[in-house]
Amino acid sequence: PREKNFDGTYLYQFNGVWYRHKFLYGMISTRRHFPARDSDIIVSTFPKSGTTWLKALTYAIVHRSRCAFEHSPLLTTNPHELVPFFEISYYLNKNDIPSFEHLYTPRIFGTHIPYSTLPDSIVNSNCRIVYICRNPLDQFISHWYFLLKQAHDKESETLSLEESFEKVCNGVLEAGPFWEHVLGYWKASLDNSHKILFLKYEDLKEDTHSYVKKLAEFLGCPFSNVEEKERVIEEIVKLCSFENMKDLEVNKPSRNIPGIKAKNSDFFRKGEVGDWTNHLTPSMSERLKILMEEKFSGSGLAFKLS
Ligand code: A3P
């Protein structure tokens, strides 16, 4: 089955999950061919939930000893290039298997693949997964603007906010239904807390410093020297902050990454919690809140909304 996405392109359903064409092709190929290494780190996310930010933070933490922060590759390269989505890499290579030779060890990859569909080599190896999601009201607004921007660039026929909202409530959005994706990683993280770290955008925003510390510990590279610890963490927080990253030359609208349709600047819009209050009517937000309560009931999972 296929359904219209917010930007007028199509989403395709596979095993109950909605994919954009590239990601579907790439997911199938990744499942067949991706040989995970025990040292690999997978940044897995629901789209528009802080992928760019978590990729940057993970890269900055893991590769911090490679060079001084003032020369960090994050200052001149977009996080999606330093931490590639393996779906996109497999899609772009078509019949060849990408070598990923250019990546430093530990290799860091991004993905939107649901937990239940991850390649066996990821689930069965010792590689670690960091997952981030975001309250579905902000996620929807962020997603809508993101696709709208690209649709304008291509002049394709877009869905209205109301039509797109209807799709979301029916689970029809990239990587959706939202609930299944989030609950899949949430439950897996409860069963396997040394393999999967489950994060929420709102928490990361509220106390980035503590989460950088937590991430480093989880990834097996804690900050050891007490004196240095706070300074280095602050450097990482600052380097990866929305304010810093959005103004970098590499993240200006004229730049983009091969294989990714969006411009680098499209990944940086507002970077706030609660922007949904400026866009959703009371009945829309109420509907999503009720759905959220129903779907997450008994799971122990909840989101801060502002
Ligand atoms: P908004 O559209 O609400 O501003 P993703 O990276 O998963 O595509 O998600 C994009 C969202 O994360 C956008 O949200 C974007 O502005 C926000 N974002 C990008 N970089 C960020 C950063 N360094 N810190 C906080 N938020 C960031």
Side-chain angles (χ1 to χ4, degrees):
R2 65 173 202 173
E3 286 254 7
K4 276 228 165 125
N5 200 359
F6 315 161
D7 61 353
T9 61
Y10 282 97
L11 289 171
Y12 301 87
Q13 198 182 34
F14 183 86
N15 282 345
V17 180
W18 293 98
Y19 296 88
R20 285 196 277 166
H21 166 256
K22 254 185 226 179
F23 276 83
L24 175 59
Y25 182 103
M27 179 278 287
I28 291 170
S29 189
T30 305
R31 272 182 63 77
R32 273 198 204 126
H33 303 295
F34 182 67
R37 295 183 192 156
D38 285 340
S39 58
D40 286 345
I41 295 166
I42 316 296
V43 175
S44 183
T45 71
F46 197 78
K48 313 321 296 170
S49 299
T51 317
T52 317
W53 191 16
L54 188 58
K55 282 182 173 186
L57 286 169
T58 305
Y59 187 94
I61 292 168
V62 168
H63 296 306
R64 65 183 184 269
S65 58
R66 289 191 182 278
C67 63
F69 288 113
E70 58 269 32
H71 303 299
S72 171
L74 284 161
L75 293 170
T76 49
T77 318
N78 180 278
H80 294 289
E81 198 162 354
L82 294 170
V83 179
F85 285 107
F86 41 51
E87 296 99 308
I88 299 280
S89 305
Y90 276 91
Y91 170 80
L92 290 177
N93 276 260
K94 300 287 181 209
N95 298 323
D96 279 336
I97 297 176
S99 70
F100 299 120
E101 264 166 15
H102 61 291
L103 300 181
Y104 292 126
T105 300
R107 306 181 307 176
I108 314 172
F109 297 99
T111 187
H112 293 320
I113 298 178
Y115 184 75
S116 59
T117 309
L118 283 176
D120 291 342
S121 73
I122 292 182
V123 177
N124 298 328
S125 67
N126 287 327
C127 68
R128 273 170 261 215
I129 301 171
V130 282
Y131 180 74
I132 194 162
C133 55
R134 182 182 198 182
N135 81 69
L137 292 80
D138 279 333
Q139 191 279 339
F140 167 56
I141 296 302
S142 180
H143 200 172
W144 193 69
Y145 273 110
F146 181 74
L147 292 184
L148 200 70
K149 236 183 197 154
Q150 287 165 60
H152 278 167
D153 294 343
K154 285 196 312 150
E155 291 175 6
S156 54
E157 209 174 301
T158 57
L159 303 192
S160 66
L161 186 79
E162 291 72 19
E163 288 167 322
S164 304
F165 181 78
E166 221 31 64
K167 298 263 182 196
V168 167
C169 292
N170 294 324
V172 183
L173 72 163
E174 184 181 359
F178 174 85
W179 329 102
E180 271 79 351
H181 201 280
V182 172
L183 282 171
Y185 278 95
W186 172 246
K187 287 178 184 156
S189 75
L190 297 178
D191 293 343
N192 210 345
S193 58
H194 63 274
K195 185 173 177 77
I196 305 165
L197 180 67
F198 186 98
L199 302 171
K200 290 182 268 185
Y201 182 91
E202 297 76 21
D203 295 341
L204 199 58
K205 202 69 199 166
E206 193 172 276
D207 188 1
T208 317
H209 191 101
S210 299
Y211 279 93
V212 166
K213 213 184 285 181
K214 205 176 200 166
L215 252 170
E217 282 159 16
F218 174 78
L219 296 171
C221 49
F223 300 95
S224 44
N225 178 327
V226 180
E227 285 275 288
E228 202 186 42
K229 188 150 114 182
E230 299 306 316
R231 186 185 59 77
V232 174
I233 294 176
E234 270 318 305
E235 294 267 18
I236 291 174
V237 171
K238 214 165 81 193
L239 173 67
C240 300
S241 69
F242 179 82
E243 292 69 26
N244 184 50
M245 300 216 93
K246 82 170 192 328
D247 287 335
L248 295 173
E249 200 49 46
V250 66
N251 293 325
K252 291 272 146 78
S254 57
R255 308 283 289 268
N256 76 324
I257 300 167
I260 295 192
K261 195 172 64 178
K263 293 173 184 153
N264 289 358
S265 58
D266 294 344
F267 292 98
F268 304 91
R269 191 184 63 97
K270 267 197 164 177
E272 287 170 9
V273 177
D275 189 39
W276 61 270
T277 55
N278 300 316
H279 302 282
L280 298 182
T281 63
S283 78
M284 282 169 134
S285 57
E286 203 46 39
R287 193 164 155 205
L288 262 188
K289 284 180 199 169
I290 291 170
L291 260 174
M292 185 158 55
E293 265 175 36
E294 264 174 36
K295 301 282 185 183
F296 293 154
S297 149
S299 69
L301 186 60
F303 286 93
K304 290 188 196 108
L305 293 179
S306 53

